[in-house]
Structures are given as structure tokens and as C-alpha cells.
Amino acid sequence: MIDISPATAPPVRMKNRNRHRKSARVLRTVLPAVAVGMTVAIIGQGAIRAMAIKPAAPASAAPLRMDNPRFTGTMKDGRAFLITAATATRDPVNTDQVFLKGPELTRGYGSDKPTHVVAKDGAYQEEKGSLLLTGDVKINNGQGYQFASQKALIDTRTGDLVGGAAVEGAGPNNGSVRADSYSVSDKGDRVLFKGRVRTRLTPQP
């Protein structure tokens, strides 16, 4: 006798579950790799763009410039002084210093016989009370004496002047003097010449 039994159906659900597990394992492996790849690509693009964009050079600020400046003050003896120039340019390194073109100093400004000093160039430091004049320095003391030099350093607090260069001068009596250096003090009443001093006096009739 032959026993014919119906064939047992394969476990479809188990196969489906295995397929889902395999797919899940694949996704767990693939997705992180894809995410890492995308992140690297984004970072790489950002780095390339950053390298391509050159930082702009900082704009250099132009020095402060002024036309026809006026600086005034009072010396220790009570006399006023006035400094004028064609132009003044602020020193970008030392903000207390200004560079002057065509400077002129008047010591005793407003008095009857002021002293005038002119030059081609100058450097004025207000806090230090220092005025350095260079190039064709000419001094007129207001009493008929005139001097010419290439350099003069003036203390605007005291009015004293020190010339670190050769000087030539002439007086109202046609006398003249030459020296390697000079200084002026005591409101201009005292002028001291140093180094190879040569004078010429013209007798009065």
C-alpha cells in the first residue's frame, strides 16, 4: 500500500524574515559608508572653496592731513607762540607728531618785536613741546639780527633754540658771524656760537 501524503509547504515566512534581516544588515553597513563619503565630499568642497578665495588685503588708512594748520600755546615766561604751515600730516606711528611743510614759528606772538623762524620742513610734537625745523632755516629775532642754518630744534615751552648745524648771521650794524653750531636763549637776548667762530665787524662812521 502506498501512502501518499501531501508535501509540506516550505516556510515562506522564515525565508522572508531572513531576507529582511540580510537587507537590514546590508543597509547598516552601506548607509554609514555613504554618510562618511558624503561628509568627506562636503568638507573637501569647502576646503577647495576656502583655498580658492583669497583674503582681501587690509586697507591701509591714509594719514590725517590738514591744510593751513595753526598751533598755539604759551611759553613759561608768559609769551605766546604760534606755529603755522602750508600742510600738516599726522605721523601714523607717533600720533603726537605732525610733519609740517613750510612751517613758520612766531615766538612772542602779539608782542611788538616777535621772533620769526621759517624753514622748508618741520616736525612738531605738542606734548614734548618740541619743534624740529630743517632745510633753509631762517631766523629773524625782531631786532635786526638774522641767521641762516639748515637745522634748528626749538623748545616751545621755554622758547630756547638749539642749532645742530652750521650757521651764518648778520646784524643791523653790517657785522656778520659764522660758526659750526649755535643756540639762542633768554628770550633771544643770548646767542651762543660754537666751533670755528668767525666774525666780521664793520666800524661805524
Side-chain angles (χ1 to χ4, degrees), residues 75 77 79 107 115 141 143 158-161 183-192:
M75 296 180 287
D77 58 10
R79 292 182 301 161
R107 296 186 305 171
T115 299
N141 75 339
Q143 300 177 10
T158 62
D160 293 345
L161 182 152
S183 63
V184 181
S185 59
D186 295 338
K187 299 182 181 181
D189 294 336
R190 183 185 181 190
V191 181
L192 180 63

Side-chain angles (χ1 to χ4, degrees), residues 63-82:
L64 180 62
R65 185 177 180 273
M66 189 185 340
D67 294 331
N68 303 315
R70 293 169 61 92
F71 304 94
T72 60
T74 305
M75 296 180 287
K76 288 183 177 180
D77 58 10
R79 292 182 301 161
F81 71 85
L82 171 66

Side-chain angles (χ1 to χ4, degrees), residues 12 14 32 92 100 159 163 177 179:
V12 178
M14 292 296 294
L100 306 174
V177 61

Side-chain angles (χ1 to χ4, degrees), residues 2 10 14 24 29 33 50-51 61 64 70 83 117-118 120 161 174:
I2 300 173
M14 292 296 294
T29 304
M51 293 174 63
L64 180 62
R70 293 169 61 92
I83 301 172
V117 187
V118 298
K120 283 186 176 180
L161 182 152
N174 296 324

Side-chain angles (χ1 to χ4, degrees), residues 96-166:
D96 180 52
Q97 180 169 251
V98 291
F99 299 115
L100 306 174
K101 287 293 184 182
E104 178 176 355
L105 167 67
T106 303
R107 296 186 305 171
Y109 177 69
S111 63
D112 295 336
K113 296 179 179 180
T115 299
H116 294 281
V117 187
V118 298
K120 283 186 176 180
D121 301 290
Y124 178 49
Q125 298 185 48
E126 188 171 4
E127 290 186 3
K128 291 180 61 177
S130 172
L131 175 63
L132 176 63
L133 301 178
T134 55
D136 292 342
V137 179
K138 292 180 173 56
I139 306 168
N140 186 330
N141 75 339
Q143 300 177 10
Y145 292 92
Q146 297 181 355
F147 303 95
S149 182
Q150 292 300 315
K151 184 179 179 181
L153 178 61
I154 302 162
D155 188 337
T156 58
R157 296 167 298 185
T158 62
D160 293 345
L161 182 152
V162 177

